[in-house]
Amino acid sequence: MIELVSTSRCTECGLCVRVCPTNVFDDHDGLPVIARQHDCQTCYICEVYCPVDALYVAPYGDQAVTVDEDALAADGTLGSWRAAIGWGRKRVTLAALDTTPFIDRILPSQPALPAEEIAFILAAPAKEPAEA
Amino acid sequence: MRDEAELRLQADVLVIGGGPAGAWAAWNAARAGARVVLAEKGYLGSSGATAPGGTNLLYLPPDAALREAAVQQRMEGGGQLSEARWIHRVLDQVYESLQLVEAWGYPFRRDEHGVPLRDHLQGPEYLKLMRKAVHRAGVRILDQSPALELLVDEHGVGGARGLSRLDGRRWEVRAGAVVIATGGCAFLSKGLGCNVLTGEGLLMAAETGAELSGMEFSRAYAPSAAFGTNTRGRTLGWASYYDQHGKVLHAGGPRSRDFLAKALLQGPVYAVLDKADTPEKRAILRRAHAIFFLPLERAGIDPFTQPFPLTLRYEGTLRGTGGLRLTSDDCATSVPGLYAAGDAATRERVCGGLSGGGAYNASWAICSGSWAGHGAALHALDAPRERRLRPAGGAGLRPVQGSAPIDSAALVAAVQSQVLPLEINYFRSEAGLRQALGAVDALWPEAGGLPDTRTPQAALRAREAAAMVAASRWIFNAALGRKETRASHTLAEYPELDPAQRHRLIVSGLERIALRTEPVPA
């Protein structure tokens, strides 16, 4: 569930209040506050949308836990999911790196793949296709 | 909150729901020349089962032999309840639609020969593009604006009312046609992205007389880490399974469909992805199903070497195949002016009685959304201008006079206690289902009580609770009406397929639920 809105990082853009599918945040004079934590469905999408990595969703779906913002910032956890999705400047999107169409090639029943095939599957695209 | 609508809009087509099906419906209706409003409970882009993670698609290049083989395989798997013509329609339409998605900027991977691989989408990217396309098409998007009830008159459905969760403002949209694209009903079981899917679309439609089909096939459960919510099971293809003492329950390779459900009844089950035995395989899996790894790693677990506990989360009608009955190629329902798309519609014509999850549902959302949007736009062109619309909402919204306040939390918990347990709804028996049906039938009068309307959240939850009670009653009624084992439906007393029951089961009604059969079109 959502556990943290970092007030030091938050720029009060209001995006998390708008995008949360289950309406967990309230807007208090611009600042998002976690008003209905137990409605959080732990889908992590708020982290993807937050442009300044001010949100942290803990992995526990039913149980609230205490979190330490400094520790989450220090080990790079804050913002890690947005980085994995590849949103933000100069990042490659997960969509462009997606290996799903290839995973049947590494099923446990399959023989080991040649190195060049693995390299092809894991290759980053030369450039992001321009958005139409 | 006041009852009077503070935002009034006039449109040709109102789309209720902003997941993929709603987005495709809105885009196609707008392309057909309609003025379109889309109202979404959450936010078009982040909301629904598709948005947070990855989703497979049923997608085949236009190769006649390849497609015919896929059609035949599905006809068999779906218990001969699907229709070859509809599967071909989906294969044709989704091929066209995914070319559009690519043109809009989705970076599909290509194989070594440069052939685009369009059978998987990452949700955040996909829905961001869909929002942009819908916006550019001129659709007015109402985010955080759940619909609560439909408006009807003698011509059929002509709009809806709802509220804004952000400020409690009531809205009313009058429209020549309405598309229900509200997803399935997953009973707040915390599957990934699924807690917005609580069945109000089905309830609203049923209140205007719409029928439902295939509700008996709501028997799908999805694995996730026991503490988490990420119902993505594909990665478990690289798992071995253990009990709490470290005894091997399954050493990898193909598992029987019942394996995890049976094992969980015996006690805790743990998995380790030890079949991904090289750094390269691990890297490939991480970039395929990144969201599967997220909660595990945040909990300090290396899933490739350390066992993690599993659970099964009920997916209701979402990964089942039932929903609003469709009466035409453009996804009209049995009520004039009302169309259905995505998981809110029955997927039986394509999936038969087998789970529509894993590819079928995602492609169905695109196709049914496209057809419903287009059909609704054409219907709206001919819709009468003068309407005498009245609101159709009942339980959870408009109380029966003199009734007690609804305790929404208690009502939800009571429904969940009947629909979620594997013992009742997965290992189905006639005796068990009868008892469960009795329990949820007894909740229906409570759902008709006095809703708490002090906050928009409370008002919405009362309506959601009523919808979940209604959905559970349709599911159990239909499940008891199919006295056989076919596709994903089972009954302990009837373990065999009965050729005489190769028909669809149609349920309708709220106070009294009617059940009838319908032949499968040839």
Side-chain angles (χ1 to χ4, degrees):
Chain A
M1 294 190 288
I2 179 81
E3 294 290 356
L4 175 71
V5 178
S6 165
T7 51
S8 61
R9 292 181 178 220
C10 179
T11 58
E12 306 190 0
C13 74
L15 205 49
C16 57
V17 181
R18 275 174 63 208
V19 304
C20 172
T22 56
N23 193 209
V24 161
F25 303 103
D26 273 346
D27 178 330
H28 282 197
D29 299 324
L31 192 71
V33 297
I34 302 169
R36 289 165 294 276
Q37 188 188 23
H38 281 272
D39 286 344
C40 177
Q41 60 177 351
T42 318
C43 71
Y44 306 92
I45 199 86
C46 56
E47 286 192 28
V48 181
Y49 275 85
C50 178
V52 292
D53 301 326
L55 305 172
Y56 176 69
V57 178
Y60 309 102
D62 299 306
Q63 185 195 347
V65 293
T66 308
V67 298
D68 176 349
E69 179 178 342
D70 292 340
L72 292 170
D75 71 6
T77 302
L78 283 186
S80 59
W81 182 231
R82 187 166 72 101
I85 292 293
W87 284 13
R89 289 162 68 82
K90 296 195 172 169
R91 283 177 174 159
V92 179
T93 63
L94 181 65
L97 298 170
D98 193 355
T99 53
T100 311
F102 304 101
I103 61 172
D104 283 349
R105 300 189 189 183
I106 59 158
L107 279 171
S109 55
Q110 295 293 317
L113 294 183
E116 62 267 27
E117 193 171 340
I118 289 170
F120 176 81
I121 294 170
L122 288 172
K127 66 175 182 61
E128 281 277 81
E131 281 188 18
Chain B
M1 282 192 312
R2 293 181 295 277
D3 214 29
E4 190 67 16
E6 290 147 277
L7 173 66
R8 288 171 179 276
L9 298 171
Q10 183 76 45
D12 297 313
V13 173
L14 168 65
V15 177
I16 302 176
W24 283 100
W27 188 82
N28 277 276
R31 290 280 291 202
R35 288 169 304 158
V36 184
V37 174
L38 183 151
E40 157 58 32
K41 188 198 278 191
Y43 176 87
L44 166 51
S46 65
S47 204
T50 304
T55 191
N56 290 315
L57 293 141
L58 174 69
Y59 167 87
L60 290 172
D63 173 321
L66 209 58
R67 288 189 176 187
E68 190 54 33
V71 168
Q72 289 314 318
Q73 189 190 5
R74 174 48 50 158
M75 294 289 287
E76 181 64 31
Q80 303 297 336
L81 296 180
S82 45
E83 297 162 56
R85 185 176 73 86
W86 276 73
I87 308 175
H88 279 295
R89 287 184 77 205
V90 165
L91 287 166
D92 292 344
Q93 176 68 52
V94 82
Y95 189 78
E96 300 292 319
S97 302
L98 289 172
Q99 286 180 314
L100 273 176
V101 172
E102 190 161 32
W104 290 335
Y106 193 90
F108 285 113
R109 291 289 308 265
R110 284 159 193 267
D111 71 8
E112 288 88 338
H113 310 291
V115 177
L117 304 169
R118 303 193 188 107
D119 60 357
H120 188 256
L121 285 162
Q122 294 288 353
E125 206 64 37
Y126 171 35
L127 283 167
K128 185 168 81 169
L129 287 174
M130 290 309 299
R131 184 180 180 94
K132 206 181 276 182
V134 166
H135 179 74
R136 274 198 205 134
V139 174
R140 172 136 186 209
I141 301 168
L142 306 179
D143 295 306
Q144 299 290 346
S145 297
L148 294 175
E149 60 180 334
L150 296 175
L151 302 172
V152 287
D153 66 8
E154 70 275 19
H155 302 294
V157 171
R161 284 182 185 169
L163 53 72
S164 161
R165 299 197 296 189
L166 300 184
D167 58 17
R169 280 204 314 171
R170 298 267 166 175
W171 56 262
E172 177 178 295
V173 178
R174 291 179 174 238
V178 173
V179 180
I180 299 279
T182 48
C185 180
F187 298 94
L188 295 173
S189 62
K190 289 200 176 170
L192 187 62
C194 293
N195 268 24
V196 289
L197 310 169
T198 41
E200 303 94 90
L202 307 182
L203 175 60
M204 283 186 269
E207 285 167 341
T208 70
E211 297 174 307
L212 299 108
S213 181
M215 296 298 277
E216 69 275 27
F217 298 114
S218 313
R219 189 180 157 253
Y221 289 73
S224 87
F227 55 81
T229 61
N230 290 10
T231 40
R232 286 294 181 276
R234 184 82 192 278
T235 317
L236 294 174
W238 285 264
S240 304
Y241 297 84
Y242 302 88
D243 71 8
Q244 71 266 44
H245 309 297
K247 192 184 132 211
V248 178
L249 296 174
H250 198 284
R255 306 175 300 276
S256 79
R257 219 189 263 180
D258 288 349
F259 163 73
L260 190 53
K262 280 186 174 154
L264 280 167
L265 287 191
Q266 304 301 313
V269 178
Y270 295 80
V272 185
L273 304 181
D274 51 9
K275 306 295 175 198
D277 50 7
T278 66
E280 293 81 13
K281 287 182 189 175
R282 293 171 185 178
I284 290 170
L285 289 182
R286 280 179 198 281
R287 281 199 196 163
H289 294 281
I291 201 157
F292 175 88
F293 296 95
L294 179 62
L296 296 165
E297 286 170 353
R298 285 196 176 176
I301 297 167
D302 173 3
F304 296 109
T305 58
Q306 294 173 305
F308 51 95
L310 288 175
T311 191
L312 283 168
R313 292 189 180 273
Y314 183 50
E315 297 190 294
T317 72
L318 173 82
R319 209 184 284 253
T321 73
L324 294 167
R325 176 177 168 249
L326 302 179
T327 58
S328 72
D329 278 9
D330 53 8
C331 298
T333 69
S334 41
V335 176
L338 188 65
Y339 294 74
D343 292 348
T346 179
R347 287 135 283 164
E348 288 165 294
R349 302 190 101 155
V350 173
C351 300
L354 189 65
S355 166
Y360 273 79
N361 282 357
S363 292
W364 170 252
I366 293 172
C367 299
S368 59
S370 300
W371 300 330
H374 190 258
L378 294 187
H379 181 91
L381 285 178
D382 284 337
R385 299 286 148 208
E386 293 299 314
R387 305 288 298 256
R388 288 178 299 180
L389 295 165
R390 61 181 189 281
L397 186 62
R398 235 172 239 103
V400 178
Q401 193 141 34
S403 56
I406 301 173
D407 182 343
S408 297
L411 201 53
V412 169
V415 177
Q416 288 179 327
S417 74
Q418 301 302 317
V419 296
L420 302 189
L422 290 166
E423 294 90 332
I424 298 173
N425 213 1
Y426 189 82
F427 296 104
R428 287 176 168 184
S429 70
E430 207 170 28
L433 291 181
R434 270 216 190 96
Q435 200 165 4
L437 176 60
V440 292
D441 273 346
L443 300 174
W444 184 244
E446 287 182 42
L450 189 66
D452 176 356
T453 56
R454 285 172 296 182
T455 64
Q457 291 78 26
L460 176 61
R461 185 47 58 90
R463 190 68 166 147
E464 291 175 338
M468 286 185 267
V469 177
S472 68
R473 293 172 68 222
W474 293 320
I475 289 169
F476 290 140
N477 266 289
L480 284 162
R482 189 172 283 288
K483 296 187 191 311
E484 63 166 343
T485 288
R486 181 187 293 268
S488 66
H489 169 69
T490 65
L491 271 186
E493 293 86 347
Y494 306 95
E496 304 294 331
L497 183 139
D498 170 13
Q501 294 184 57
R502 188 184 162 237
H503 49 227
R504 305 239 171 91
L505 282 181
I506 313 297
V507 292
S508 59
L510 289 158
E511 300 308 320
R512 278 197 46 232
I513 291 171
L515 185 67
R516 68 180 177 87
T517 64
E518 177 180 62
V520 181

